Amino acid sequence: MATIDKITQFLEKFTDGGGKKQAMEVDDDEEGIEMMAELTLGEPQQKYKEVLQQVANRTADTVEIALDDVRRFEVENSGGHPPFAFNSSLAFRIENNAKAYVELFSKAVDKMMPEPDASAMEDPEADVLDVIFQARRDRDRRDREALMGGGGKGAAAAAAEAGPGGAADAESFPAILTRRYTVKFIARAAQKAQAVREVGASQIGRLVTVRGIVTRVSEVRPAM
């Protein structure tokens, strides 16, 4: 299975909460007993599909991927085989090449992004990007209409490329410009934190947990 397919499967099918396993982890006190009954009877939540819906509704702008969730999903869906070694898992590959996997997860999210809820579209707040994108779509539509009005094979080809849903519009903008979210990886609980002085060139592109005290904060300047 291709990596992008594994990522999509994880985002679609991972569930969190509910079930007997979660109920057994609750403390056996009065409050815990009530919580145990609620978790046992409740339905598992599709954690990441709900996050994507929030992003589509513009109530969230970050998709946080917990590597503990990735590892757990792999083990639970191993098809009855013994859990494979961590160093051959998707979670391990993400840890060691986090920069590349941010883009892979972003592509999977782009394909899975749902339509906004009706309630979220009742009073949409247009921002600068909305205005720019709409102006560009209007211009592209006028260009296609002018080309199609000229007739000939070129007009037919333009119509085929545009398609009924305006596929050409999607190709007018690079995906990185149209994304209203940021993919963020959360390190495994078992990953050891390092001192800042221990972080070296060998860890470029990897997911690293550091420990320290923040003394000053400044804006991140993009590389030129």
Side-chain angles (χ1 to χ4, degrees), residues 30-155:
E30 183 176 355
E31 182 179 356
I33 292 173
E34 295 177 0
M35 188 180 298
M36 182 184 297
E38 180 181 351
L39 288 174
T40 303
L41 297 174
E43 292 294 330
Q45 302 297 312
Q46 292 182 302
K47 176 179 178 179
Y48 293 102
K49 291 188 75 172
E50 292 182 0
V51 170
L52 296 191
Q53 189 62 64
Q54 293 171 7
V55 172
N57 294 341
R58 298 193 184 181
T59 58
D61 59 6
T62 303
V63 180
E64 294 185 344
I65 309 295
L67 294 195
D68 282 330
D69 291 345
V70 176
R71 176 59 175 163
R72 184 183 123 195
F73 181 80
E74 289 184 292
V75 173
E76 291 179 351
N77 293 272
S78 58
H81 300 288
F84 45 79
F86 175 69
N87 60 9
S88 63
S89 66
L90 177 60
F92 176 81
R93 296 198 298 274
I94 293 172
E95 261 187 19
N96 286 272
N97 196 6
K99 184 175 176 61
Y101 276 90
V102 165
E103 180 61 21
L104 289 175
F105 269 83
S106 297
K107 289 180 179 179
V109 169
D110 289 342
K111 293 180 179 179
M112 291 179 56
M113 187 64 67
E115 293 295 327
D117 290 335
S119 58
M121 296 302 294
E122 288 178 357
D123 187 22
E125 296 182 3
D127 58 17
V128 175
L129 285 178
D130 289 326
V131 175
I132 293 174
F133 291 156
Q134 188 59 48
R136 178 66 176 270
R137 292 188 185 99
D138 291 343
R139 190 199 72 178
D140 290 347
R141 187 182 66 255
R142 289 194 299 268
D143 290 345
R144 287 197 303 273
E145 289 174 352
L147 182 60
M148 293 171 67
K153 295 182 179 179

Side-chain angles (χ1 to χ4, degrees), residues 166-204:
D169 286 343
E171 297 176 359
S172 299
F173 307 99
I176 193 171
L177 296 181
T178 59
R179 289 171 184 156
R180 300 303 186 93
Y181 63 88
T182 302
V183 171
K184 174 184 176 182
F185 292 124
I186 300 177
R188 293 178 299 118
Q191 184 175 359
K192 295 181 179 179
Q194 296 176 289
V196 176
R197 67 173 66 92
E198 297 173 350
V199 179
S202 62
Q203 284 145 322
I204 292 176

